[in-house]
Amino acid sequence: MRPIMTERAIIGFDAKRIVRNGTGLGNYGRTLVNDLAALDEFSLRLYAPDEGVDELRSQIVERQNVDFCFPRHAHTSLGKAMWRSGGMVKQLLADGVQIYHGLSGELPKGISQSGIRSVVTIHDLIFMRHPEYYNKVDVKLYTRKFLQTLQEADRIVAISECTRRDICELGGIDQSRVDVIYQSCAPRFDQVPEPRKMWQGREKYDLPDRYVLNVGSVEERKNVLLAVRALDHLPEDVSLVVVGRQTPYSDAVHEYILEHRLHSRVQMLHNVPDDDLPSLYRMADCFVYPSRYEGFGIPIIEAISQGLPIVACTGSCLEEAGGPDGLYVDPDDDKALADAISQVLFGAPGRQQRIDRSRQYIRRFENTDAARRFAQLYQSLL
């Protein structure tokens, strides 16, 4: 391991999701750390309970100011969990960490008494807003961790105004303690895929000629069944391609597809590599995101970056992510969803104008802005 670079302030990060999660929280952490490292203002130390997945860990660009750190004495699963929940504080102190950033809504116990300043990013409080999507034990555990984290943190960061409102209301704290710093998508979504790459993607996944795209775990809260039901109200040459992790909710989706004889119009893709996603976005007619509740909705930003109009649902933060030129409908109204999709398919009047205005809107989420705002937040704590 390279020696600590003492000429810079040392910032520690919770890197468990960076090395283990392929999407969501993992992408958030990897993108932010890479952007902060490029600013070259701090020494960044990434604390993970183990090395995780090589492919994910290697997405952190090798730089002189970035190091991974692992437990020195914890080798069992229980030991690693205890280290992450509080035992790492001694290691942070020994490493000279001045600020610790919990990237996924958690902070180690005792950090507020250690003298190390702390920042925590809270992505959502869905487990409190919609506990019906979780088992009761997890709801109690997550709620306790959330309330404890509010006590430990010097600064709290929400990834949307919607999440900030939830934090203040459900955590009983003043909004002056919470900063909103929007999540950014990975730089690869800013690039137009090469024609050969798109052709290879179409062949690899046997994509239909004309399709609406959805990206996200196939779980009840994400509500993809609404998009399947909307097909009954759309032209027969329009298909739905769903990209995401399979869950038990997938069975209900498949049952509906078979019952309504839609198997030729719905394609479910799992384990799609990140590098293939830009091509899948680029070749679609539009992007649909019928989720009932999100902390932000990063796939919306990815879709707009790749030149797609978006249709999503009301009730959380999706209007905040997609802006005024997206179309938003009730999460139980499949006819309204189909009508909205019809308004943005290829050839629909005003489609390109919607896309252009949406791309202008999401410039507020560009990567360097997020990194710069966090750098300013760290400096204020130093």
Side-chain angles (χ1 to χ4, degrees):
M1 182 177 292
R2 293 185 294 274
I4 296 173
M5 303 179 69
T6 55
E7 67 270 17
R8 295 186 177 96
I10 301 172
I11 314 296
F13 294 88
D14 176 6
K16 176 182 175 181
R17 266 74 178 191
I18 285 177
V19 301
R20 292 188 182 180
N21 288 41
T23 60
L25 298 178
N27 283 338
Y28 173 82
R30 289 186 291 271
T31 300
L32 178 58
V33 166
N34 282 332
D35 291 341
L36 283 167
L39 295 179
D40 203 27
E41 295 181 8
F42 306 102
S43 177
L44 310 181
R45 298 180 68 80
L46 312 184
Y47 291 84
D50 50 47
E51 293 186 347
V53 180
D54 291 346
E55 178 188 355
L56 300 177
R57 192 178 65 256
S58 66
Q59 289 178 26
I60 297 296
V61 179
E62 289 192 17
R63 296 180 184 271
Q64 288 294 317
N65 60 337
V66 181
D67 278 298
F68 278 97
C69 305
F70 307 107
R72 292 169 184 163
H73 306 293
H75 305 293
T76 66
S77 296
L78 178 59
K80 292 174 183 178
M82 292 178 65
W83 172 82
R84 185 168 176 266
S85 67
M88 74 160 70
V89 173
K90 289 184 179 179
Q91 191 168 335
L92 298 175
L93 288 167
D95 291 346
V97 170
Q98 293 156 276
I99 296 174
Y100 180 81
H101 187 166
L103 293 171
S104 56
E106 299 178 55
L107 290 172
K109 293 178 183 178
I111 197 164
S112 58
Q113 285 81 43
S114 70
I116 299 171
R117 308 304 299 275
S118 62
V119 177
V120 63
T121 297
I122 295 178
H123 297 259
D124 63 69
L125 295 177
I126 299 170
F127 57 89
M128 297 178 77
R129 282 293 185 206
H130 288 281
E132 67 271 21
Y133 297 129
Y134 300 81
N135 69 58
K136 293 181 179 180
V137 174
D138 283 345
V139 171
K140 289 181 179 179
L141 174 63
Y142 298 157
T143 301
R144 186 171 73 246
K145 283 185 175 182
F146 164 63
L147 296 175
Q148 173 198 314
T149 294
L150 296 186
Q151 297 299 315
E152 296 278 1
D154 288 303
R155 295 299 301 176
I156 301 159
V157 172
I159 62 168
S160 68
E161 290 288 351
C162 177
T163 295
R164 174 157 72 171
R165 290 193 297 270
D166 284 353
I167 293 168
C168 295
E169 178 185 341
L170 300 174
I173 65 171
D174 190 271
Q175 68 173 6
S176 63
R177 286 190 61 197
V178 186
D179 299 287
V180 175
I181 300 180
Y182 285 112
Q183 187 175 0
S184 55
C185 67
R188 65 180 177 277
F189 293 102
D190 294 330
Q191 308 299 319
V192 177
E194 296 179 359
R196 186 179 68 169
K197 180 76 171 174
M198 289 192 285
W199 178 82
Q200 289 173 339
R202 188 173 290 279
E203 292 287 310
K204 177 179 179 180
Y205 298 108
D206 192 22
L207 296 174
D209 292 334
R210 194 179 193 192
Y211 65 90
V212 173
L213 180 68
N214 170 264
V215 175
S217 297
V218 186
E219 59 185 87
E220 186 176 1
R221 172 176 58 85
K222 302 281 189 179
N223 197 29
V224 75
L225 185 55
L226 186 75
V228 176
R229 287 164 44 201
L231 289 175
D232 287 328
H233 311 290
L234 288 167
E236 290 190 3
D237 67 333
V238 175
S239 298
L240 173 67
V241 174
V242 178
V243 178
R245 179 176 58 87
Q246 200 166 10
T247 73
Y249 172 72
S250 305
D251 295 337
V253 177
H254 284 297
E255 185 177 332
Y256 184 94
I257 291 169
L258 291 175
E259 182 180 346
H260 291 261
R261 300 180 181 180
L262 292 169
H263 54 275
S264 63
R265 297 179 64 190
V266 182
Q267 197 164 349
M268 312 279 280
L269 303 178
H270 311 295
N271 303 314
V272 173
D274 285 350
D275 287 347
D276 289 349
L277 278 176
S279 294
L280 268 62
Y281 278 119
R282 179 66 62 166
M283 291 184 288
D285 268 43
C286 72
F287 183 75
V288 62
Y289 204 57
S291 181
R292 293 182 181 277
Y293 210 89
E294 294 292 329
F296 183 57
I298 198 65
I300 285 179
I301 310 302
E302 296 171 353
I304 294 173
S305 297
Q306 281 298 321
L308 290 187
I310 63 105
V311 178
C313 284
T314 58
S316 59
C317 64
L318 300 183
E319 296 98 326
E320 189 178 345
D325 288 283
L327 296 176
Y328 309 94
V329 304
D330 185 280
D332 292 305
D333 194 337
D334 53 297
K335 180 63 166 61
L337 184 68
D339 290 343
I341 290 171
S342 296
Q343 293 179 52
V344 295
L345 293 173
F346 278 123
R351 179 181 186 273
Q352 190 58 50
Q353 288 81 358
R354 284 186 182 277
I355 293 170
D356 293 341
R357 291 192 295 264
S358 293
R359 295 180 92 164
Q360 183 68 26
Y361 174 83
I362 65 166
R363 295 178 81 179
R364 66 192 66 196
F365 308 130
E366 289 178 354
N367 297 333
T368 52
D369 290 343
R372 175 56 58 192
R373 287 202 60 193
F374 273 110
Q376 291 169 349
L377 179 57
Y378 301 153
Q379 291 288 4
S380 73
L381 290 174
L382 291 169

